[in-house]
Amino acid sequence: MHGQGLPGFRDFYPEETALRNHIFGVWRSVAARYGFVEYDGPPLEALELYTEKSGDEIVAQLYTFEDKGGRQVALRPEMTPSLARMVAARARGMKKPIRWFSIPQLFRYERQQRGRLREHYQLNMDLIGEPGPLADAEIIGASIDVMRGLGLGVGDVRVRISDRRVVSHLLRRAGVPDTALPDALVALDKIDREPHDRLRARLTTSGVSTEAANRTLELGAVRGADALRDTLRGVPDGEETGEGLFACVDALGAMGLGDFVDIDLSIVRGLAYYTGIVFELFDARGTFRAICGGGRYDGLLERLGGVDLPGTGFGMGDVVLGELLRDRDLVPTLAGNIDAFLIAVSADDMPTVLELAHVLREHGRDVEFALKEQAVGKQLKLAAARGARHAVIVGPDERAAEEGLVRNLETGSEHRVTFARMHNGRLEA
């Protein structure tokens, strides 16, 4: 075990940390552009918060233990229960709609597989207090703009969007009884991953007629706005039921993001608390797991936090996203950020180097120097390895003239800069 981390957990070397920070930077930038403000909560919560308010699958994957105070606690597996508690505590005093985002680290003890570990970071964006389709469009638009901010385009990612209200209406009209609706939704969710005969058999076992089961599986093949409009025209109240979904899709088109969006009735999302528009963001080549998923969850905050507010949001993990960026060669290079590497020609020059390092750092310059006496050539090699932009050489002659020899390590050009200018943070002649 020595020298190895726990299975499903990651070490972040500088290269991995640079990628993580790059992803976080885009997440925060897009969230801010959409008017969202950042919040956070504790990574350790009371166990009952999840046993009472999370789904059975999540509860089975909890990292839980008893703390030294005898309390049953768990590492957070999701952010929504904490969000609900925090919003409920201040809901009356907050202007609606509430636009919050967070980047929690989440923990779930689950089977490791590609794109899924036992810990990950996740962008959570939630828009609370607005029931209309423009709120859904804002959330979906933000997820698309994160992709665009990372350098991914229409050929790289697709948003597949549906509406549980539309799907449930069509299922009922197809003859699916209300008691079997959850099973019908599960069948649609698995329509691209399991044989249709197996899904049909499960539906009939749940009390769905063979004809209704066939119609259910046919709904999973409905793709695109035109196909959905045709389907809705064929059932009573169908067009009215689809108004919210089409309004959301039209809004995304007006935002200039319509080319990313595909209507797909097989998208229902696995969690039972979704009540309206739902979506998933996929790699267009189909190589990876879903990058992002979310939707409308009206009623959830009342159940979790006791405050009746509509909501819509999504979660986007960093694991699949990192794999996708590597696959597309969009990982930022770990460039050196050293403005100046100061080089002491002799031990007598070190006090001057230390003084210059201090004043340059005071002016916001990134500065390094050798921590022991070394030959100038060796120090120059270290400067290059650090990616320094400049080497500033200080020897007896430079101290006498009160100026340093500044070498541009990219071009090889040299010029002299007075110590007085360096005391003002300048490295230019």
Side-chain angles (χ1 to χ4, degrees):
M1 190 63 191
H2 293 294
Q4 295 182 357
L6 290 172
F9 289 76
R10 293 170 289 176
D11 293 318
F12 287 90
Y13 288 92
E15 296 81 6
E16 287 83 16
T17 302
L19 175 57
R20 185 181 70 183
N21 290 342
H22 173 59
I23 292 171
F24 285 10
V26 173
W27 282 353
R28 288 192 167 99
S29 172
V30 172
R33 279 160 37 201
Y34 275 71
F36 284 69
V37 293
E38 188 167 3
Y39 75 100
D40 200 1
L44 196 68
E45 292 270 22
L47 175 61
E48 64 184 21
L49 182 69
Y50 304 113
T51 55
E52 294 178 2
K53 298 176 179 178
S54 293
D56 292 341
E57 180 185 3
I58 289 177
V59 170
Q61 298 169 348
L62 286 173
Y63 277 91
T64 179
F65 59 93
E66 182 179 297
D67 72 6
K68 293 182 179 180
R71 291 172 288 264
Q72 294 298 316
V73 296
L75 291 172
R76 64 184 173 200
E78 60 172 343
M79 199 64 181
T80 306
S82 299
L83 169 69
R85 188 193 69 228
M86 292 170 67
V87 169
R90 296 190 180 181
R92 290 184 179 179
M94 289 191 286
K95 194 74 175 173
K96 315 301 185 297
I98 299 163
R99 293 173 180 249
W100 280 12
F101 82 96
S102 186
I103 306 177
Q105 188 177 21
L106 305 177
F107 305 88
R108 296 185 189 179
Y109 193 89
E110 58 183 332
R111 185 171 64 87
Q112 292 173 245
Q113 49 191 298
R114 185 177 186 185
R116 179 170 287 182
L117 301 173
R118 290 174 177 168
E119 59 79 20
H120 70 281
Y121 292 90
Q122 181 169 293
L123 170 63
N124 281 53
M125 293 186 70
D126 292 273
L127 203 160
I128 299 166
E130 173 51 58
L134 287 184
D136 300 291
E138 276 283 86
I139 283 291
I140 297 170
S143 74
I144 295 171
D145 275 339
V146 167
M147 298 297 104
R148 296 174 65 231
L150 290 166
L152 297 160
V154 171
D156 298 301
V157 292
R158 308 297 304 166
V159 171
R160 292 158 65 184
I161 182 173
S162 183
D163 190 326
R164 280 204 174 188
R165 293 163 295 197
V166 171
V167 174
S168 297
H169 184 76
L170 290 172
L171 288 171
R172 289 189 179 100
R173 293 298 182 180
V176 177
D178 283 357
T179 54
L181 275 178
D183 291 328
L185 290 171
V186 169
L188 284 174
D189 186 51
K190 296 182 176 180
I191 205 163
D192 292 331
R193 303 192 299 275
E194 290 194 21
H196 287 198
D197 288 345
R198 186 185 303 171
L199 297 174
R200 189 179 295 108
R202 287 182 191 162
L203 287 171
T204 54
T205 302
S206 301
V208 179
S209 69
T210 301
E211 183 181 0
N214 288 332
R215 288 180 179 174
T216 296
L217 298 179
E218 288 171 2
L219 284 178
V222 174
R223 304 282 199 275
D226 291 340
L228 179 57
R229 289 186 195 278
D230 290 341
T231 302
L232 290 172
R233 287 192 195 102
V235 300
D237 303 320
E239 291 180 276
E240 181 181 348
T241 305
E243 286 177 357
L245 177 57
F246 287 119
C248 176
V249 172
D250 290 345
L252 288 165
M255 291 176 182
L257 302 173
D259 288 345
F260 285 88
V261 180
D262 303 313
I263 290 178
D264 182 346
L265 292 195
S266 72
I267 299 298
V268 297
R269 300 290 292 145
L271 296 172
Y273 57 64
Y274 287 112
T275 58
I277 289 172
V278 289
F279 73 98
E280 292 186 356
L281 205 158
F282 286 92
D283 153 39
R285 300 177 190 172
T287 306
F288 303 98
R289 304 173 65 88
I291 303 163
C292 164
R296 178 158 292 281
Y297 50 79
D298 297 348
L300 180 64
L301 290 180
E302 183 177 21
R303 208 158 66 244
L304 295 184
V307 55
D308 186 13
L309 286 172
T312 181
F314 70 78
M316 179 186 295
D318 72 313
V319 179
V320 173
L321 196 50
E323 289 183 352
L324 179 59
L325 294 178
R326 292 185 188 96
D327 183 72
R328 301 294 198 273
D329 292 324
L330 292 172
V331 175
T333 56
L334 184 61
N337 61 352
I338 302 298
D339 289 317
F341 194 102
L342 306 188
I343 293 174
V345 174
S346 68
D348 293 338
D349 304 311
M350 184 53 73
T352 303
V353 163
L354 294 173
E355 178 191 359
L356 291 174
H358 175 71
V359 296
L360 287 169
R361 287 167 174 168
E362 288 284 290
H363 283 280
R365 294 284 194 171
D366 302 323
V367 173
E368 190 180 345
F369 52 85
L371 299 178
K372 61 182 179 181
E373 189 174 358
Q374 293 179 348
V376 170
K378 194 168 185 178
Q379 293 181 68
L380 284 169
K381 286 182 179 178
L382 181 56
R386 290 288 196 261
R389 286 177 282 276
H390 302 92
V392 180
I393 300 171
V394 176
D397 294 342
E398 283 73 29
R399 284 191 290 117
E402 295 190 349
E403 60 184 18
L405 177 62
V406 178
R407 179 179 298 176
N408 186 313
L409 293 179
E410 293 180 358
T411 66
S413 63
E414 295 181 343
H415 58 273
R416 294 187 175 273
V417 178
T418 65
F419 290 166
R421 282 183 70 81
M422 290 190 206
H423 275 253
N424 290 318
R426 307 297 296 274
L427 291 171
E428 301 79 19

